[in-house]
Amino acid sequence: RMKRTIGMLVCMAVLLALCACGRLGDVNGVKTHRVPSEMYTQEEIDAAIDVVKARFKKDYGGCVLLELYYAGDETTGEFAGWAKRYNADEVIVLMSSYYVYERRDGLDPNCTYDPHWTLVREKGGDWEYAGSGY
């Protein structure tokens, strides 16, 4: 009886682990707010937000995106060199906050992280993810 119970528990643990591997990052309840900009229209900022949300959903299983918003013209200006580094014309920086509810890639569970996301593009083109950090 004990072997059977242990066997069932092991099977359940393996199934849960397999399901967790395919889990997507949760972006459903993310809060955004408008930050005034002389560099970008709200539509351009929203397009950058959509790129980060798609990347988060794909790459951050076990995490919940809590907040995502434009970092502002001053902060974005500090990252102007990123555009040249990626052979692009423009750069935009978004701030975020996300909660990790299960261990992944060196991130501790039950912790909140607050990275920025840097995106670049050719003038008027689509935003592309360039990097993130703290």
Side-chain angles (χ1 to χ4, degrees):
R1 221 176 191 184
M2 182 65 106
K3 286 182 184 180
R4 186 180 192 174
T5 302
I6 291 173
M8 287 176 48
L9 289 173
V10 168
C11 286
M12 286 175 55
V14 168
L15 284 173
L16 285 172
L18 288 173
C19 289
C21 290
R23 186 172 293 165
L24 298 176
D26 184 356
V27 299
N28 293 328
V30 64
K31 291 183 176 145
T32 62
H33 60 272
R34 293 180 186 263
V35 174
S37 174
E38 293 182 16
M39 295 172 68
Y40 299 114
T41 66
Q42 189 60 48
E43 290 77 23
E44 291 172 306
I45 294 168
D46 290 343
I49 286 172
D50 288 344
V51 169
V52 171
K53 285 169 61 174
R55 184 174 186 93
F56 189 91
K57 189 172 184 177
K58 182 179 139 233
D59 294 342
Y60 284 77
C63 302
V64 158
L65 188 58
L66 303 171
E67 189 174 25
L68 183 62
Y69 58 94
Y70 179 53
D73 291 349
E74 185 176 336
T75 299
T76 291
E78 293 170 8
F79 283 78
W82 281 63
K84 290 178 186 166
R85 187 182 315 170
Y86 287 89
N87 295 321
D89 298 315
E90 298 177 305
V91 64
I92 191 169
V93 178
L94 304 177
M95 302 304 291
S96 72
S97 177
Y98 65 87
Y99 179 78
V100 178
Y101 58 88
E102 59 185 47
R103 183 174 301 283
R104 67 168 307 280
D105 300 331
L107 299 176
D108 294 325
N110 305 314
C111 290
T112 301
Y113 293 86
D114 302 306
H116 66 267
W117 303 77
T118 307
L119 297 92
V120 295
R121 71 177 182 178
E122 294 298 318
K123 187 84 173 161
D126 293 332
W127 292 112
E128 295 179 23
Y129 172 78
S132 61
Y134 296 90

